Amino acid sequence: MPYDAVRVVVHAQSIVHSLVRFSDGAVLAHLGVPDMRTPIGYALSWPGRAPLPMVAPLDLLARELTFAEPDTATFRCLALARAAGESAARAWAGRSPGDGGGGAGAAAPIALNAANEVAVQAFLDGRIGFLAIATVVERVLERCGDGPVANLDDVFGCDAEARRAAGEAVAVEL
């Protein structure tokens, strides 16, 4: 699916977990209570679905469902993640892993993930502020996100380099 066919919206009530629009225009929504015990229950009971009596039933009449455009100026990581995905999509266009891997830019999502994990941990540890997470991720993408990926060694290498770069970026933010 091309990236221009994917749209992100903010749903503050946290009831709609995903929406999928089909070719006939119909939209299928996955709705659930805003309670993390539900996805944790899925993970623990997979491939089955365990009953979760401690989770209150969803009451669709209790509140409105609203949607808004994301504020990518404030929450820059969303724009960075989309750009990384688009970069990798261009790098893999017309290729398959058997063709020798993705070209320049294929490493962007790997670098983004590694940098995000390091930056979020630094935030949780009180070493950087919340908004500095995006700054760290952006610096790492500039340094590590444009490489090709041909095999798992490239994936692990990019991940390790991005984590090193993120550690350095966190140190600058201190």
Side-chain angles (χ1 to χ4, degrees), residues 3 5-21 27-31 65-72 75 78 82:
Y3 270 85
V6 176
R7 183 171 177 202
V8 175
V9 294
V10 176
H11 170 60
Q13 297 82 20
S14 300
I15 292 172
V16 178
H17 300 291
S18 66
L19 297 168
V20 177
R21 181 176 294 133
V27 177
L28 180 66
H30 174 222
L31 308 174
L65 303 180
T66 60
F67 303 90
E69 293 289 332
D71 177 2
T72 56
F75 301 102
L78 178 58
R82 184 171 192 107

Side-chain angles (χ1 to χ4, degrees), residues 30-168:
H30 174 222
L31 308 174
V33 295
D35 187 325
M36 287 303 296
R37 291 178 290 189
T38 302
I40 292 168
Y42 291 159
L44 295 176
S45 64
W46 189 88
R49 296 190 66 155
L52 300 170
M54 74 294 287
V55 176
L58 179 61
D59 182 359
L60 289 174
L61 301 177
R63 59 181 84 162
E64 293 183 29
L65 303 180
T66 60
F67 303 90
E69 293 289 332
D71 177 2
T72 56
T74 300
F75 301 102
R76 293 179 13 235
C77 285
L78 178 58
L80 293 170
R82 184 171 192 107
E86 289 170 345
S87 174
R90 285 189 303 275
W92 282 99
R95 301 175 129 180
S96 69
D99 296 336
I110 301 161
L112 178 128
N113 181 69
N116 184 64
E117 287 183 4
V118 170
V120 168
Q121 189 61 57
F123 166 71
L124 294 173
D125 293 344
R127 294 185 290 138
I128 63 172
F130 178 75
L131 296 179
I133 294 170
T135 302
V136 169
V137 171
E138 187 170 30
R139 287 181 182 159
V140 171
L141 282 170
E142 288 169 358
R143 184 169 157 186
C144 306
D146 61 354
V149 176
N151 53 50
L152 279 177
D153 288 338
D154 290 347
V155 171
F156 293 128
C158 175
D159 181 83
E161 176 58 26
R163 288 175 190 280
R164 279 191 292 277
E168 294 169 10

